[in-house]
């Protein structure tokens, strides 16, 4: 779940940058709008009332900050989806004993990205041709999936190297061993840099 979240942050950052620079779609806003359209009116009313009450409690002007609060909720919701996707995929990969590979990464990226891309292209108001949006977003999601699988492979190798030790560990010579905390810090630093 942590890896999914750390990979989803730069995914959203790159989408936002492309939206600001070139007018491409920003998936978190579109998925949020799509989900809001599926919810019953009473749930939406409750959510709006709760948001207004929270803004007033914090002393913010509702008229000036409501749109920002809605956008923050959309980004937060999408981050939660990325966290959940990362956790679920790691569990499935582990239970099914799927070996890390480029194909597995592409499949995971497509499974996470295709529904979001379809929603975003269908509902988004981008002036850019849908094919360009599709190619850009699928490229990002495929990279997300390959990165997730690559990290999954590193976690498996770490667990194998810290588990039962065999006499032949020649494949570990010259490789700096990182503990889990160091690995997460390095991953977090990379995500924050992007």
């Amino acid at each position: 779940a942590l890896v999914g979240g750390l990979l989803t942050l730069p995914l959203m950052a790159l989408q936002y940058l492309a939206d600001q620079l070139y007018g491409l779609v920003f998936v978190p806003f579109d998925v949020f709008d799509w989900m809001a359209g599926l919810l019953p009116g009473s749930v939406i009313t409750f959510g709006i009332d709760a948001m207004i009450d929270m803004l007033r409690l914090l002393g913010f002007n509702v008229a000036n900050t409501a749109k920002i609060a809605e956008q923050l909720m959309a980004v937060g919701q999408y981050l939660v989806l990325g966290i959940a996707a990362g956790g679920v995929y790691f569990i499935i990969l582990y239970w099914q004993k799927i070996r890390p590979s480029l194909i597995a990464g592409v499949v995971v990226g497509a499974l996470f990205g295709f529904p979001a891309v379809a929603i975003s292209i269908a509902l988004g108001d981008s002036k850019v041709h849908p094919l360009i949006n599709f190619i850009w977003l699928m490229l990002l999601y495929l990279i997300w999936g390959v990165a997730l699988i690559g990290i999954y492979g590193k976690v498996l190798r770490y667990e194998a190297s810290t588990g039962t030790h065999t006499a032949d560990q020649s494949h570990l010579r010259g490789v700096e061993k990182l503990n889990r905390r160091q690995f997460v810090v390095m991953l977090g630093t990379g995500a924050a840099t992007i």
Side-chain angles (χ1 to χ4, degrees):
L2 177 63
V3 170
L6 288 174
L7 291 177
T8 301
L9 287 170
L11 175 74
M12 290 189 301
L14 291 171
Q15 288 176 14
Y16 184 75
L17 181 65
D19 175 40
Q20 295 301 303
L21 293 177
Y22 305 111
L24 296 170
V25 294
F26 184 56
V27 174
F29 290 170
D30 297 330
V31 170
F32 182 79
D33 290 342
W34 176 76
M35 289 183 81
L38 295 178
L39 295 173
S42 60
V43 173
I44 293 174
T45 303
F46 173 77
I48 291 171
D49 290 343
M51 181 179 69
I52 289 171
D53 292 342
M54 181 62 72
L55 291 173
R56 286 184 180 155
L57 179 69
L58 295 172
F60 292 113
N61 182 330
V62 174
N64 294 337
T65 56
K67 186 66 175 171
I68 294 170
E70 180 183 341
Q71 291 173 342
L72 287 173
M73 286 177 12
V75 169
Q77 171 197 4
Y78 202 75
L79 179 60
V80 168
L81 288 174
I83 289 169
V88 167
Y89 290 139
F90 262 59
I91 289 169
I92 291 171
L93 293 168
Y94 188 76
W95 280 349
Q96 297 297 317
K97 306 283 189 246
I98 297 173
R99 301 188 80 220
S101 68
L102 182 62
I103 301 281
V106 168
V107 169
V108 165
L111 287 173
F112 181 54
F114 191 74
V117 171
I119 290 167
S120 195
I121 289 175
L123 297 180
D125 58 354
S126 174
K127 306 289 188 262
V128 178
H129 192 278
L131 182 61
I132 294 171
N133 277 312
F134 178 80
I135 292 169
W136 163 247
L137 292 175
M138 284 311 297
L139 178 67
L140 284 179
Y141 283 104
L142 295 178
I143 291 169
W144 182 92
V146 169
L148 186 80
I149 292 296
I151 292 168
Y152 170 72
K154 287 186 184 297
V155 169
L156 285 182
R157 284 192 299 276
Y158 174 78
E159 287 179 356
S161 70
T162 58
T164 57
H165 294 285
T166 61
D168 180 27
Q169 289 191 350
S170 59
H171 65 283
L172 295 177
R173 279 191 208 123
V175 176
E176 179 184 346
K177 289 185 182 179
L178 298 176
N179 65 31
R180 290 180 192 203
R181 182 173 295 149
Q182 291 169 320
F183 179 71
V184 170
V185 167
M186 286 180 59
L187 179 61
T189 302
T193 301
I194 293 172

